[in-house]
Amino acid sequence: MPPRFVYWTILIDGKPTAFRARDQQELLPTLGQLKRTNQDVVMKWFARGKLWDSPEAERAADQRPAFTGEKRGADWRPGGTHKDPRDRFKKKNRPERAWSESDRPPQRDRDKLGPPREGKPWRDKPAGAPRGDRPWSAKPPGPRKPWSPKPTGERKPWSAAPQGERAPWRGKPAGPRKPWGAKPSGERKPWAARPQSPRKPWSPKPSGEKKPWSGKPAAARKPWTAKPAGERKPWSSKPSGPRKPWRERPEARKRRDDEPDKK
């Protein structure tokens, strides 16, 4: 299948056809057959949305011509005199670079001392030579003192930094300690739980006759009626005077008296 954007194609009377191929050799037999029946039949190279005589013509058109204009240096700037406007603020007598390859390197203090001294070959130190600034000396080869424990005499009591008068620390008395003894092996009391106070015996609910359930009497409640559709009284806040003592409504008192005794 030919590529999508780069291919050879046949034009008849300047109009494109469906004959397309990647290689030109594939369309040569078809081109010969079409020339028998048509006068204006040509083969063109299609690339980049245009028709070319050959791929070489396409590549030649892409080459840019040689530049023949003025040459611009590194200090060229657009507009005006083509110079950097910051140049007027630079010092006139200051060199462009603080150093250059021709400058001699600065002489250091270590170079003033002259050439380095020739090092002596390495060799081991003698066994009896001193080591470092202070001579090393081994332990005296004489007899060592025999080991003896610390004296067991009376030690001074320890005391911290005095912050006022403080009594000296004293250890436990040095008198004889009581001998260790196991627990007495006599008879032990038997284990017993805590005494429990007498509890009342459990008894179920009384199985006597229960009073039948009865709902609220229907005669005690007034039937529901909607609010009257007439004009409503304007809203007014409660009077600020003394309030009347609370009294039970008569219908509630009557309903309570009519209910059977639940006790």
Side-chain angles (χ1 to χ4, degrees):
M1 185 176 182
R4 186 175 182 182
F5 300 112
V6 180
Y7 49 82
W8 286 96
T9 182
I10 297 177
L11 302 178
I12 300 177
D13 296 335
K15 296 180 181 180
T17 61
F19 300 104
R20 302 173 183 177
R22 176 67 177 177
D23 297 332
Q24 186 180 12
Q25 300 296 331
E26 296 180 7
L27 295 178
L28 290 178
T30 307
L31 182 64
Q33 294 291 337
L34 293 175
K35 284 184 177 182
R36 295 179 181 179
T37 57
N38 299 276
Q39 296 180 359
D40 187 8
V41 179
V42 293
M43 184 185 300
K44 295 287 185 178
W45 172 255
F46 180 82
R48 295 188 294 177
K50 295 182 181 181
L51 293 172
W52 309 87
D53 293 338
S54 62
E56 291 76 10
E58 176 200 356
R59 290 192 291 268
D62 193 23
Q63 295 178 358
R64 297 181 181 180
F67 180 75
T68 58
E70 61 176 345
K71 295 183 178 180
R72 300 174 181 178
D75 57 346
W76 187 91
R77 296 294 183 274
T81 58
H82 304 295
K83 292 184 179 181
D84 192 354
R86 296 175 294 179
D87 291 343
R88 57 179 178 172
F89 300 106
K90 296 180 180 180
K91 295 182 180 181
K92 301 297 182 180
N93 300 328
R94 185 176 181 181
E96 295 184 1
R97 297 172 60 180
W99 59 273
S100 62
E101 297 180 357
S102 61
D103 295 340
R104 297 182 60 185
Q107 189 176 9
R108 304 180 184 275
D109 294 339
R110 62 184 181 184
D111 299 337
K112 299 178 181 179
L113 300 178
R117 294 181 297 177
E118 185 178 356
K120 297 181 179 180
W122 181 86
R123 60 182 178 179
D124 294 334
K125 295 182 179 180
R131 184 178 182 183
D133 299 336
R134 302 173 63 182
W136 179 84
S137 60
K139 296 182 180 180
R144 297 177 64 183
K145 295 181 180 180
W147 179 85
S148 60
K150 295 182 179 180
T152 57
E154 186 178 357
R155 299 175 62 184
K156 294 182 180 181
W158 178 87
S159 61
Q163 298 179 357
E165 188 175 358
R166 190 175 179 184
W169 180 84
R170 293 181 301 173
K172 296 181 180 180
R177 298 178 62 183
K178 294 182 180 180
W180 178 85
K183 294 182 179 180
S185 58
E187 185 179 358
R188 298 178 63 183
K189 294 182 180 181
W191 179 86
R194 295 180 180 178
Q196 298 181 359
S197 58
R199 299 176 63 183
K200 295 181 181 181
W202 178 85
S203 60
K205 295 182 179 180
S207 58
E209 186 178 358
K210 297 176 65 177
K211 295 181 180 180
W213 179 85
S214 61
K216 296 182 179 180
R221 299 181 63 181
K222 294 181 180 181
W224 180 84
T225 56
K227 295 183 179 180
E231 185 179 359
R232 298 178 63 183
K233 296 181 180 180
W235 180 86
S236 60
S237 60
K238 296 181 180 180
S240 59
R243 299 178 63 181
K244 295 181 180 180
W246 179 85
R247 292 183 301 176
E248 191 177 8
R249 295 182 180 179
E251 57 269 14
R253 186 185 307 170
K254 183 179 179 181
R255 184 169 62 251
R256 185 185 46 158
D257 297 339
D258 294 342
E259 289 181 358
D261 190 7
K262 294 182 180 180
K263 297 183 181 180

